[in-house]
Amino acid sequence: MQQLGVIILAAGRGKRMRSDRPKVVHCLNGVPLILYPLGIAQELKPAKIVAVVGYGAEEVKRACGEEEITWVVQNEQLGTGHAVLCARETFTDFSGDLLILSGDVPLITGSTLASLVRHHREQKSTVTLLTAHLEEPFGYGRILRDSTGHVVRITEERDANESEKKIDEVNAGIYAVACEFLFTALKGLTNNNQQGEFYLPDIVGEAARSKKRIETVVMAHPQEILGINAREELAMMERSLQEKINRRLMESGVTLKDPLTTYIEERVTVGKDSVIGPNTHLSGRTVLGERCQIDGNAYVVDSRFGDDVHLKFNVVINGCDAADGVEVGPFAHIRPGTELKGNVHIGSFVEVKNSTVGNGTKANHLSYIGDTVIGQESNIGAGTITCNYDGFDKHRTTIGDRVQVGSNTQFVAPVAVGNDAYIGAGSTVTRDVPPGALALSRVAQKHIAGWVERFRQMHRKK
Ligand code: UD1
Ligand code: CA
């Protein structure tokens, strides 16, 4: 069995992005560009994955997290050919084929790459190129063929003459190459071109000159090979990716009331018969169950919801774990570390952070619940605040089952309330409340008879 190695080119700055950040860390649908080819490369289970980084190398490495990659640094960006040459040392005791991917071509699929490698091997080819016919080939390297259809070389947009510019078959920047030939050919490259760079595609001309076999796999769906060089392309690709995700969701039984304003990231899953309203953003590792309803204006990150959950208009939810039948909103803010058990209701202008709320408990109006554990079937009255922060440390509030918290209550944490307790409205709770007790901490009400009339007369005299 021949070995397969992968090289991902990601050292360029991406000048056309006009960014201080390296191009490949810009996000497409919430995921840094570099992670797209990387993920696909991993699917192929190659012997080795080498990424060539240079501009903003540390930031690119960070974006890749814990992935198993051999990093190679191209200190000066002298061109794609030079970039691949930088990886030579990592393939000294390697014999087989190298698959070269571009960090800025995100939509390429595993099956396309698998068929590229398969074709390369079946044909015993030296260089196999992925190409496509584009309606607008501008900016891409063009494939030059002789009268018999054999590839003779590739010319870059900036080096092409007028008739070459009319060629609509473009180089995807993705190649399967015999390892030995590759590094020999790269050593012979020159930078005698408009950009003064060492072009990787020039190995194709070299292969033709030395009568090596050159094969092409022409893509039926050119979408896959589109590269990102500028922000406008990023936005357009974001839109087409979004359309694809939306279509997939609708096909799987999800209703999107306004697909044009529905932004759902790749990794999100939504269960059947869920209905999603306009201006909904679901991102990260969000999971939504079946028959859920999102009214609209929802911004949801890394959260899990069971079935039959209802998110009413205007909610911001991050890092929430909600069971079946939960209702949130309108106008609610759920922050990381929140667990909402079955049928919990979190209502308008309620913020919950790092708290667990038990089955059937309700906090329907104007509350802040932070660093708190609440049992089941309790009711948190309007205007309840957990005072969890003393300027230095956060403290916990614990509220039991079936507790009735009167409106406008403050819990000065750390404090605990036993099961079945009642808190009188307007109380400031500073000490633990025993189970079954009524806690009252407000000043007793008194009446001063005739006070109003005396007050008025005093003013009339003035
Ligand atoms: C490249 C190809 C072009 C092809 C197109 C497809 C070259 C010379 N041209 O052009 O034929 O049609 O891709 O998308 O290869 N990079 C480095 N080091 C460098 C330069 C670039 O690592 O010194 C990396 C970039 O980070 C990027 C990739 O190589 O990920 C491609 O570079 P880019 O400058 O975008 O090449 P294109 O002009 O798009
Ligand atoms: Ca490019």
Side-chain angles (χ1 to χ4, degrees), residues 409-422:
T409 291
Q410 301 89 50
F411 291 104
V412 181
V415 72
V417 180
N419 291 342
D420 301 290
Y422 270 55

Side-chain angles (χ1 to χ4, degrees), residues 216-232:
T216 53
V217 170
V218 186
M219 296 287 301
H221 304 287
Q223 272 294 82
E224 269 189 44
I225 67 137
L226 296 181
I228 296 209
N229 298 300
R231 306 225 188 201
E232 194 183 352

Side-chain angles (χ1 to χ4, degrees), residues 170-203:
V170 305
N171 170 27
I174 291 169
Y175 321 76
V177 195
C179 182
E180 213 187 316
F181 167 80
L182 175 69
F183 292 114
T184 313
L186 286 175
K187 273 186 275 174
L189 290 188
T190 60
N191 61 352
N192 189 11
N193 53 52
Q194 283 297 321
Q195 305 188 72
E197 289 185 356
F198 296 93
Y199 291 162
L200 176 59
D202 283 355
I203 61 164

Side-chain angles (χ1 to χ4, degrees), residues 9-12 16 23 74 77-80 83 102-104 140-141 156 171-173 199 201 229:
L9 300 184
R16 289 161 281 181
K23 171 165 67 180
Q74 181 194 27
Q77 282 70 62
L78 302 178
T80 48
S102 224
D104 64 348
Y140 289 86
E156 292 304 299
N171 170 27
Y199 291 162
N229 298 300

Side-chain angles (χ1 to χ4, degrees), residues 346-399:
I346 300 295
S348 45
F349 304 101
V350 175
E351 176 177 338
V352 187
K353 183 215 82 171
N354 191 31
S355 295
T356 299
V357 183
N359 281 307
T361 287
K362 297 183 173 71
N364 271 329
H365 329 270
L366 303 158
S367 283
Y368 172 65
I369 299 167
D371 305 305
T372 299
V373 176
I374 309 176
Q376 52 193 17
E377 304 298 338
S378 288
N379 190 68
I380 307 298
T384 296
I385 309 286
T386 56
C387 311
N388 59 334
Y389 187 46
D390 60 15
F392 296 95
D393 297 308
K394 298 284 171 65
H395 301 283
R396 300 195 67 83
T397 299
T398 307
I399 299 171

Side-chain angles (χ1 to χ4, degrees), residues 57-345:
E58 289 311 312
E59 207 180 340
V60 177
K61 287 185 192 174
R62 258 201 313 281
C64 294
E66 308 285 287
E67 307 292 347
E68 252 186 52
I69 303 167
T70 305
W71 298 102
V72 163
V73 179
Q74 181 194 27
N75 287 316
E76 253 187 299
Q77 282 70 62
L78 302 178
T80 48
H82 177 259
V84 175
L85 195 53
C86 291
R88 186 171 56 138
E89 299 286 281
T90 60
F91 290 103
T92 41
D93 46 4
F94 181 93
S95 82
D97 299 307
L98 294 182
L99 179 64
I100 303 173
L101 305 178
S102 224
D104 64 348
V105 179
L107 299 188
I108 196 76
T109 62
S111 66
T112 296
L113 295 182
S115 63
L116 179 73
V117 173
R118 200 183 318 120
H119 186 81
H120 178 76
R121 288 182 169 171
E122 278 169 6
Q123 298 297 317
K124 301 199 170 26
S125 171
T126 300
V127 185
T128 307
L129 304 169
L130 201 58
T131 78
H133 294 273
L134 292 188
E135 268 172 45
E136 292 176 38
F138 179 84
Y140 289 86
R142 308 296 208 287
I143 308 294
L144 273 62
R145 294 178 184 265
D146 64 16
S147 55
T148 61
H150 288 106
V151 175
V152 289
R153 65 183 175 93
I154 297 175
T155 178
E156 292 304 299
E157 175 79 36
R158 292 218 253 159
D159 302 297
N161 62 34
E162 286 313 309
S163 72
E164 288 166 348
K165 281 184 183 160
K166 292 203 181 86
I167 297 171
D168 73 348
E169 188 183 7
V170 305
N171 170 27
I174 291 169
Y175 321 76
V177 195
C179 182
E180 213 187 316
F181 167 80
L182 175 69
F183 292 114
T184 313
L186 286 175
K187 273 186 275 174
L189 290 188
T190 60
N191 61 352
N192 189 11
N193 53 52
Q194 283 297 321
Q195 305 188 72
E197 289 185 356
F198 296 93
Y199 291 162
L200 176 59
D202 283 355
I203 61 164
V204 174
E206 177 50 32
R209 272 191 300 279
S210 50
K211 306 265 185 290
K212 303 283 187 200
R213 192 172 184 109
I214 303 170
E215 284 290 320
T216 53
V217 170
V218 186
M219 296 287 301
H221 304 287
Q223 272 294 82
E224 269 189 44
I225 67 137
L226 296 181
I228 296 209
N229 298 300
R231 306 225 188 201
E232 194 183 352
E233 287 163 341
L234 186 60
M236 273 158 41
M237 196 174 286
E238 181 111 23
R239 167 60 65 200
S240 76
L241 209 61
Q242 194 56 71
E243 281 169 4
K244 201 169 107 190
I245 292 170
N246 288 349
R247 212 176 305 125
R248 189 184 73 210
L249 285 171
M250 291 188 279
E251 278 165 12
S252 74
V254 176
T255 294
L256 303 182
K257 288 191 172 169
D258 184 13
L260 279 180
T261 64
T262 303
Y263 307 89
I264 300 181
E265 287 182 7
E266 185 75 36
R267 294 171 295 181
V268 172
T269 66
V270 182
K272 181 154 89 317
D273 287 321
S274 286
V275 176
I276 294 179
N279 196 24
T280 293
H281 302 247
L282 304 180
S283 60
R285 305 259 175 209
T286 294
V287 175
L288 194 65
E290 296 189 352
R291 298 175 304 280
C292 290
Q293 182 180 336
I294 300 183
D295 292 346
N297 285 353
Y299 188 84
V300 181
V301 182
D302 291 329
S303 296
R304 302 176 68 84
F305 303 92
D307 299 330
D308 304 293
V309 167
H310 186 184
L311 305 184
K312 299 174 186 175
F313 258 104
N314 291 300
V315 293
V316 174
I317 300 178
N318 185 353
C320 174
D321 198 333
D324 296 350
V326 162
E327 290 185 14
V328 180
F331 301 98
H333 187 191
I334 311 288
R335 294 167 49 201
T338 296
E339 187 184 354
L340 307 177
K341 303 247 168 103
N343 302 307
V344 161
H345 290 189

